[in-house]
Structure formats: C-alpha cells, structure tokens
Amino acid sequence: MPRILSGVQPTGQLHLGNWAGAIRQFVELQQPGNEVFVFVASYHALTTLRDPAVLRDNCRQVVTDYLAFGLDPARTTIYLQHDVPEVTELHWLLSCVCPNHLMDKAVSYKDKLNKGLSANIGLYCYPILQAADILGPQADIVPVGRDQVQHIEITRDLAGMFNHAFSCEVFRQPAYRLSATAEVLPGVDGEKMSKSYGNTIDPFQDEKALRKRVMGIKTDSKGMDDAKDPATCPVFRIAKGVAGADDPRIIDLERKYREPPAGGFGYGHAKQALFEILLDVFAESRRRRAELMADPGAVDACLRDGAQRARAVISQTVAAARAATGLSA
Ligand code: ADP
Ligand code: TRP
C-alpha cells in the first residue's frame, strides 16, 4: 500500500497557493489503498518564528484548515511534527552522513536569506529535517508544490547515503508528486503567492474582506473593450488554478478576455467572476471551518490520535536506523 506524506509550515494563515499546490493533492490522495500522513512542520517553523503564542496559534490554525479543506482523520494520520520528537533524532542520524555541499546547493536557504530571514544552522539544515520527516514514516510519495522538488531530491540522496554508509536498507527512496496543473499561483501583486510576500488570498476570509482582496488584485490598464491576455493576468491565472482549465466558467472567462462581448468586459467583471468561483469552490470548506472553530475538542482529538499513530510508525524506523549505526545494544 503506497504511503503518502506531506506537510506545511505553520508560519501564517494558509492561502490559495498552499491549497492549489499542496493541500488539494493531500485531499485527493485520501483514497482506499493509500496510507496518508499529513503533518504540521512546527520544528521547521522554528527556524524563523520567535513568538511562542504565534507558533502555538499557527499550529492549531493549520490543523483546523487541513480539516476544513477536507482531510479526514479517520483516513489520514494528521499530526504535529513536535509531537513526534523521534524526528529530531533521525535528523541527527542523517546529518552525520550529509556532506556540506548538499546543503550549500539548496536553493531554499539562499532564497530565504534573500527574503531577509536571518541565517541560523536550523535554516541551513532545513532539508535534512525535511528528509527525516519523509523517511521516518517510509513515505513512497510526497505531494508538494514545484518549489519543493529539490528537497525531495536531497531526501533521496540522504536515504541512499545512509544505506550505503552503514551497508543497510533502512530507508526507501520517495518520489515527489506535483499537482495536476503544477502551476505556481500568483498573489494579488502578480508575484508568487507566498505568506512571506504579504500578497496572499485567504479563502476563509469573510465575504466582504475576501471580495475587497479580490478587487485589489493588480491588473494592467486595458479598458472594457480591449482584448486582454489571460495568460499574464493574475485574476485569470488564480481563477484557472482554483477551478481548473476545463471548468465552463474558465472557458467563458478566457473567451471574454480575448474577445470582449458587446458592452465590454473589464477587469472588474473578471474579479467578480473570480470572487464567485472562490465562494463556490470553498463553500463546503468555509462551512466546516466555522463548525471547527466552535468545536476545539475535535482538533484536540484529531491531534492526540494522529500523534499516537505517527509515533508508532516513525519510532520503528528510528530504531532500525539506530541499530544500523551501532547506537543500540
Ligand atoms: P509560503 O511560500 O506561503 O510560505 P510554503 O513554503 O509554506 O508557502 O508552502 C507550503 C506548500 O504550498 C508547498 O508544497 C508549496 O510548494 C505550496 N505552495 C506555496 N505557495 C504556492 C503557490 N503560490 N502556488 C502553488 N503552490 C504553492
Ligand atoms: N518545506 C516544506 C514547505 O516549505 C514543508 C515541509 C517540511 C515538508 N517537511 C516536509 C513538505 C516533508 C513535504 C514533506 O512547504
């Protein structure tokens, strides 16, 4: 039975990009025949967060959003990374076979420094911790957005290096899985939608605030009767990323961009169409989220159960890795 694993850092409110690139895949993959693990990468967030109350709140928020987006604790093991401290031991065992050059070439580290985050060893070794997350439950498939591909390649390298160094077969090599569209969703400013750029759209915002956010998306200054290029317009790209290229609403929108109908078709109309698509696609998630906010016990129960299940599996792998190194009797 293929084992699927992924996670998201609790560094801020989840957004449409996280859903389109990552979470939508987690939900799709919850099928009979798959064993799915989805966690909250809280140790990873500690490479940048310095406010304990914020970290605690963010962790709960991510779990609440996972459940609202449709992850089902009966089918998926949902857990907080720090509820499974064995992950950090695995990080150490892997770091001892990791050559420096493997971290030196990781683009995420350089990107993060470019974004203004301050350097620390945790941030530098971030990909080793991610490898521990993936190798601990012996995942076969890791659904992620395109920016995470290098991390999965590093994970494969580390699995091979450990097995080779200790002449064992403790780890299996995982593959990544990109979402069907595999597009990077732009934010309201047209750049990659990211928590760290302040350009995100939160599908759980109340209607008024959500509409305002959508109406604020940056567009060019083409008029109502001008033909427009959907491929470069963030409003269209977000709508397509959320609803899918085959959705009749997207086909209609694309036609109106290229050939505005009599009476004209402006960006205001396109934004209204996007707003309506968001309300429609996320109607069920928004309803579930409101319920979960009123029932914190459901989140607690999901995490208690998830921690137990994840720990049972991960501690077996860590025991095998320890034994391979000679760290056991
Ligand atoms: P952020 O850039 O907002 O901090 P993360 O790095 O926490 O997002 O990403 C969590 C997951 O969401 C990853 O699998 C990532 O590839 C995916 N993701 C993030 N932003 C986007 C985006 N704009 N488009 C598609 N996928 C994205
Ligand atoms: N690095 C991932 C991100 O920024 C989060 C993450 C941590 C992750 N550990 C993981 C994703 C293991 C997949 C598998 O989005």
Side-chain angles (χ1 to χ4, degrees):
M1 172 143 44
R3 212 168 252 181
I4 322 277
L5 171 133
S6 197
V8 174
Q9 284 194 80
T11 42
Q13 177 60 52
L14 295 185
H15 53 77
L16 286 183
N18 297 138
W19 176 79
I23 297 164
R24 174 166 46 184
Q25 298 193 74
F26 309 168
V27 177
E28 282 165 10
L29 286 163
Q30 292 184 124
Q31 295 159 5
N34 285 343
E35 210 179 337
V36 186
F37 289 73
V38 176
F39 72 102
V40 179
S42 44
Y43 286 135
H44 280 104
L46 207 53
T47 58
T48 56
L49 289 186
R50 295 294 176 261
D51 183 332
V54 168
L55 181 55
R56 259 193 303 273
D57 279 2
N58 286 356
C59 285
R60 270 197 93 75
Q61 207 52 65
V62 172
V63 178
T64 307
D65 292 353
Y66 278 165
L67 297 174
F69 280 131
L71 284 183
D72 172 6
R75 290 182 285 162
T76 294
T77 300
I78 300 169
Y79 60 102
L80 300 174
Q81 190 184 26
H82 65 271
D83 278 343
V84 188
E86 288 80 1
V87 167
T88 59
E89 177 167 7
L90 198 46
H91 167 271
W92 182 255
L93 300 182
L94 294 169
S95 66
C96 291
V97 298
C98 179
N100 290 23
H101 67 78
L102 209 54
M103 294 300 102
D104 289 338
K105 73 167 193 193
V107 289
S108 65
Y109 182 64
K110 288 169 226 161
D111 280 359
K112 283 171 182 160
L113 295 193
N114 287 339
K115 279 186 201 169
L117 297 180
S118 36
N120 60 61
I121 298 294
L123 201 60
Y124 179 65
C125 296
Y126 183 111
I128 308 180
L129 184 58
Q130 183 157 350
D133 295 329
I134 297 168
L135 300 177
Q138 303 277 8
D140 301 291
I141 299 167
V142 187
V144 280
R146 201 176 272 294
D147 58 309
Q148 293 297 312
V149 168
Q150 193 192 29
H151 287 157
I152 314 307
E153 284 163 353
I154 292 175
T155 301
R156 294 171 60 87
D157 287 345
L158 286 173
M161 285 169 176
F162 186 94
N163 287 348
H164 179 72
F166 296 105
S167 306
C168 64
E169 288 296 328
V170 171
F171 298 120
R172 58 172 105 134
Q173 295 199 329
Y176 58 81
R177 178 189 192 269
L178 298 176
S179 70
T181 57
E183 275 211 50
V184 171
L185 225 65
V188 294
D189 56 358
E191 300 298 314
K192 173 194 177 273
M193 188 180 290
S194 171
K195 285 169 231 150
S196 36
Y197 298 157
N199 65 356
T200 61
I201 297 177
D202 163 11
F204 296 118
Q205 270 192 314
D206 71 57
E207 276 191 38
K208 202 165 158 222
L210 181 61
R211 187 164 191 282
K212 192 162 170 228
R213 192 70 174 152
V214 169
M215 292 298 159
I217 298 174
K218 200 169 118 189
T219 53
D220 61 31
S221 53
K222 294 227 168 73
M224 299 268 283
D225 297 317
D226 297 330
K228 305 171 185 66
D229 181 7
T232 55
C233 174
V235 180
F236 181 79
R237 289 176 58 206
I238 295 171
K240 185 173 153 197
V242 168
D246 302 337
D247 188 290
R249 291 167 295 190
I250 299 303
I251 296 167
D252 180 55
L253 202 56
E254 180 157 11
R255 208 181 45 236
K256 288 178 172 154
Y257 265 73
R258 297 199 192 280
E259 288 171 40
F265 178 81
Y267 287 118
H269 295 114
K271 290 173 179 175
Q272 180 62 29
L274 170 58
F275 173 63
E276 287 169 15
I277 287 172
L278 294 179
L279 286 186
D280 178 53
V281 169
F282 294 105
E284 180 63 17
S285 299
R286 290 167 65 89
R287 191 192 54 71
R288 256 196 307 256
R289 171 82 148 20
E291 270 174 25
L292 286 161
M293 295 301 275
D295 180 15
V299 173
D300 293 333
C302 158
L303 288 177
R304 249 194 326 271
D305 186 45
Q308 221 173 33
R309 275 148 59 184
R311 229 177 152 175
V313 173
I314 295 167
S315 52
Q316 272 185 24
T317 311
V318 178
R322 283 175 70 115
T325 61
L327 285 176
S328 58

